[in-house]
Amino acid sequence: MIMMMAKCGNHRHLRPVTDADVKKFYERNQVDFEKLVSNVRDGGLVTFFENLAGPGFQIFSSSGAGIRSAIVGSSGREIAGFDGEGRLTLSPSWSRYETAERRIREALARDSIEDLIASAESGVAAVEGFIAERVQNWNGSHPEDLLIDDASHKVPFNVKIEEWIPKMTGGKRIAKGSTNAQHFAEIKKFRDDFGAHIKLHAHAMSSDRFVELVNRFRTGIAGMLIDLHRLFDMSVPSTLIREFYAADAVKHRGAS
């Protein structure tokens, strides 16, 4: 986790290239690397490289209305904004991921299938939303080669993965047989069957399957989003990296 946060995370420091570079960075800054490893294993923060900032922030204005806050896209056009006080979300897909992470923890705490379904819905939406954000950026800088997905021209998700992503990244693609991709497909099917496209009149799930799906979130959602960020040479939010390296949930003895 320390190495990934240092080399791929959304921090302000010069990005180390190798594991040796990371250790040298800590040595120069008088941090005992072995003690840091032990501290992080116990839940501590990754010193220097763990960014606790989220995807949005709140704007307070002492003068009230009259001051406009806005997010401007690569084309120079305003994407979203408001006058006076309010809240800006820089990345809706990141925000949706954090909702998914919160719901997966509630699913565990309450042993709740409904929270698990809600987490899958938000997690899949986060992945789909990340791709949509990249498409919006692409279209803004490639008006002669637009990627269109709208009500009159629906594009299947697999086409976006297999064709659009390599086009936008210069040939880089998600490995279809990877653990992260397979687990994402499993969560997406669960979302389709139990959530967005309800097919059954009742829900039934063993405790083993419940825990298995909870653990799929770590790879299928957090891991898939990490893979996508890296394909686009984007820094990875610390919350994704920490979730990816989290310990697996286990079934409590005697659970039904």
Side-chain angles (χ1 to χ4, degrees):
M1 179 164 66
I2 294 172
M3 296 303 180
M4 182 177 284
M5 280 199 187
K7 293 187 287 185
C8 305
N10 60 335
H11 53 78
R12 60 180 177 82
H13 299 283
L14 184 65
R15 201 170 301 284
V17 176
T18 67
D19 290 357
D21 291 337
V22 176
K23 292 181 178 180
K24 287 178 183 177
F25 174 91
Y26 281 117
E27 185 178 346
R28 287 196 304 271
N29 287 277
Q30 300 181 329
V31 174
D32 186 308
F33 186 75
E34 296 307 319
K35 287 184 179 179
L36 176 65
V37 170
S38 178
N39 183 54
V40 170
R41 284 174 178 164
D42 290 337
L45 297 177
V46 178
T47 307
F48 292 114
F49 297 121
E50 186 159 5
N51 187 345
L52 299 180
F57 50 92
Q58 194 163 2
I59 306 294
F60 297 96
S61 172
S62 59
S63 60
I67 297 178
R68 185 160 185 80
S69 301
I71 299 172
V72 178
S74 57
S75 66
R77 295 182 179 179
E78 180 178 310
I79 298 173
F82 56 83
D83 296 314
E85 298 184 346
R87 175 169 288 277
L88 285 174
T89 299
L90 300 178
S91 171
S93 65
W94 181 4
S95 179
R96 189 60 61 88
Y97 166 77
E98 293 205 334
T99 298
E101 185 178 292
R102 184 169 62 251
R103 295 305 292 268
I104 202 73
R105 301 196 188 290
E106 291 173 357
L108 269 174
R110 305 197 305 165
D111 197 22
S112 166
I113 292 179
E114 291 303 321
D115 283 320
L116 184 62
I117 294 169
S119 177
E121 290 174 333
S122 291
V124 171
V127 172
E128 294 174 337
F130 180 87
I131 296 172
E133 290 169 8
R134 305 287 72 73
V135 169
Q136 185 179 55
N137 289 346
W138 169 273
N139 288 344
S141 56
H142 297 81
E144 77 293 344
D145 189 17
L146 298 178
L147 298 174
I148 304 299
D149 178 24
D150 57 27
S152 61
H153 184 261
K154 298 299 293 182
V155 177
F157 181 77
N158 67 298
V159 171
K160 296 176 183 178
I161 291 290
E162 296 170 12
E163 299 179 17
W164 284 17
I165 287 178
K167 183 171 188 173
M168 292 187 288
T169 61
K172 293 183 287 185
R173 62 180 64 238
I174 292 286
K176 292 178 65 174
S178 70
T179 296
N180 294 346
Q182 290 179 342
H183 287 179
F184 172 75
E186 189 174 340
I187 292 173
K188 186 173 183 298
K189 185 178 185 307
F190 169 72
R191 187 281 309 261
D192 292 346
D193 290 345
F194 282 73
H197 310 128
I198 297 175
K199 300 175 182 178
L200 304 174
H201 296 293
H203 290 162
M205 183 181 298
S206 70
S207 293
D208 287 338
R209 180 56 176 162
F210 179 88
V211 171
E212 183 179 52
L213 281 170
V214 166
N215 290 328
R216 293 289 191 261
F217 181 89
R218 182 172 57 80
T219 46
I221 302 300
M224 185 71 163
L225 284 167
I226 288 172
D227 289 345
L228 286 167
H229 277 79
R230 297 179 74 174
L231 282 182
F232 285 90
D233 296 320
M234 295 174 61
S235 59
V236 182
S238 296
T239 51
L240 288 175
I241 297 173
R242 182 164 283 278
E243 177 62 29
F244 182 70
Y245 284 96
D248 277 347
V250 295
K251 186 177 76 170
H252 295 297
R253 188 180 300 276
S256 58

